[in-house]
Amino acid sequence: MTRIALCQIPVSPDPTANLKRAREALARAEDADLAIFPEATLTRYGRNITELAEPLDGPFVTGLAEAARRHGTAVIAGVFEPGGNRVHNTAVALDATGAVKAAYRKIHLFDSFGAKESELVAPGSEPVVVDLAGLRVGLVTCYDVRFPELARALVDQGADLFAVIAAWASGPLKEDHWITLVRARALENTVWTAAVGQAPNPAESTDGFGVGRSMLVDPLGVVRADLGTSPGVQVVEVDQEATAAARASLPCLEHRVLGVKRS
C-alpha cells in the first residue's frame, strides 16, 4: 500500500501565502508517503505569472523541499518556471528527502473556451514518469487530461499511477468534463489516478479557476475518494494488487492493435 495525500488547497496570487498553505497541508498529511498539490500552487493564474515565476532552486520549491524533508513525504506540486518571454507551467516532483526528482512542463496548453494559455506559457515536449514513494508516477497537468495519447505514453513508460494536477476552470458542464476525463484515463489504462485540483477561492472568484473535486480513481474507473469543493486534505491508499487484479480481468493494454489506420 502507498498512502497518498490529496491536498486540495485554495491558491492566491501571493506565493508566500501559498507556501504557508502547502506547509500546513503537509503537516496534516504527515503519515502520507506522497502528497499531491494542484497545478499553479506557486501563484494563481494571471498576467503576473511571468513576474512571479521562479527557478526550481527558488524560494518556493526550496520551501516545499524543506517541508517534504521535515515530514518525510514526497511532493508533487505545480509551479511556473521562467522561460524567456513566457513561462513554463511545471509539475515538480520532490522525493521524501526534498530532492528534485523530475520536472514536467505542461505539453497541452489551454487555448480553449475563450482562454489563451499559450500567450503566457511556453509548451513542454516530453512526457515524464518519475519514481516516487515506491511508485512509477506519470505526471499530467490539467488540459493534458483531455489527450488520451499522453496518458498512454506514460503507461507505456511504466506508470502505475497518474498524478493529474489542475486549476480546472469553471463553466457549463466543466465539472462533468473533469470527472469523466479523469475516470476515463484511469479505466482505459487500468491505472490508479490521483487527480488534485485547486479548491475554489472566494477572494479570487472572478477568474473561475478551481472547482475542487479532487479524487482518487482505481484501475477500473471507480471513484474511491472525492473531496467535493471545500478545501481539504485526505489521505488515501493505492494498492498495486488491485492493479494486477484489474489487468487480469480486463487486459485491454494487451489487446491493443497498434498502427490502426483510418480508412
Side-chain angles (χ1 to χ4, degrees):
M1 293 282 190
T2 303
R3 294 174 63 78
I4 297 175
L6 309 178
C7 299
Q8 180 170 287
I9 63 172
V11 174
S12 85
D14 179 4
T16 302
N18 296 327
L19 180 56
K20 181 175 183 289
R21 286 190 180 117
R23 285 170 166 159
E24 291 169 348
L26 273 173
R28 293 175 58 188
E30 206 163 30
D31 60 344
D33 303 299
L34 168 64
I36 304 175
F37 289 89
E39 177 188 24
T41 299
L42 168 69
T43 182
R44 196 168 185 84
Y45 263 105
R47 290 282 167 186
N48 62 349
I49 62 173
T50 55
E51 301 167 13
L52 295 173
E54 296 181 6
L56 297 183
D57 59 357
F60 188 84
V61 173
T62 299
L64 271 183
E66 290 170 352
R69 185 164 53 250
R70 184 182 320 121
H71 297 290
T73 304
V75 171
I76 295 169
V79 300
F80 296 109
E81 289 181 277
N85 295 329
R86 296 184 286 175
V87 300
H88 291 293
N89 184 344
T90 301
V92 62
L94 309 172
D95 69 14
T97 73
V100 175
K101 301 301 290 183
Y104 164 66
R105 291 167 173 167
K106 186 178 181 182
I107 293 173
H108 302 97
L109 302 183
F110 185 56
D111 288 0
S112 298
F113 294 106
K116 194 76 172 175
E117 185 178 14
S118 63
E119 289 181 350
L120 299 173
V121 178
S125 59
E126 296 295 329
V128 173
V129 176
V130 58
D131 293 308
L132 281 181
L135 297 171
R136 292 275 291 162
V137 183
L139 303 177
V140 179
T141 301
C142 204
Y143 192 52
D144 281 334
V145 78
R146 292 184 181 271
F147 299 88
E149 57 270 30
L150 175 60
R152 188 52 56 87
L154 295 172
V155 85
D156 282 346
Q157 290 182 35
D160 44 34
L161 172 77
F162 295 151
V164 182
I165 63 172
W168 201 258
S170 60
L173 298 177
K174 290 294 302 303
E175 195 172 316
D176 286 340
H177 292 187
W178 166 253
I179 295 164
T180 301
L181 290 161
V182 169
R183 294 185 67 191
R185 298 296 83 84
L187 176 57
E188 71 195 1
N189 293 291
T190 50
V191 172
W192 284 95
T193 300
V196 178
Q198 291 183 14
N201 186 342
E204 306 290 340
S205 59
T206 55
D207 64 23
F209 291 115
V211 299
R213 300 306 300 271
S214 301
M215 62 183 71
L216 178 72
V217 182
D218 75 16
L220 289 178
V222 177
V223 177
R224 297 289 190 96
D226 184 333
L227 273 65
T229 58
S230 298
V233 175
Q234 184 171 343
V235 178
V236 295
E237 291 185 338
V238 166
D239 180 2
Q240 289 298 88
E241 290 186 5
T243 303
R247 291 179 177 178
S249 61
L250 179 64
C252 56
L253 293 177
E254 297 176 22
H255 293 164
R256 285 185 295 167
V257 179
L258 302 179
V260 174
K261 298 180 180 179
R262 296 177 181 175
S263 59

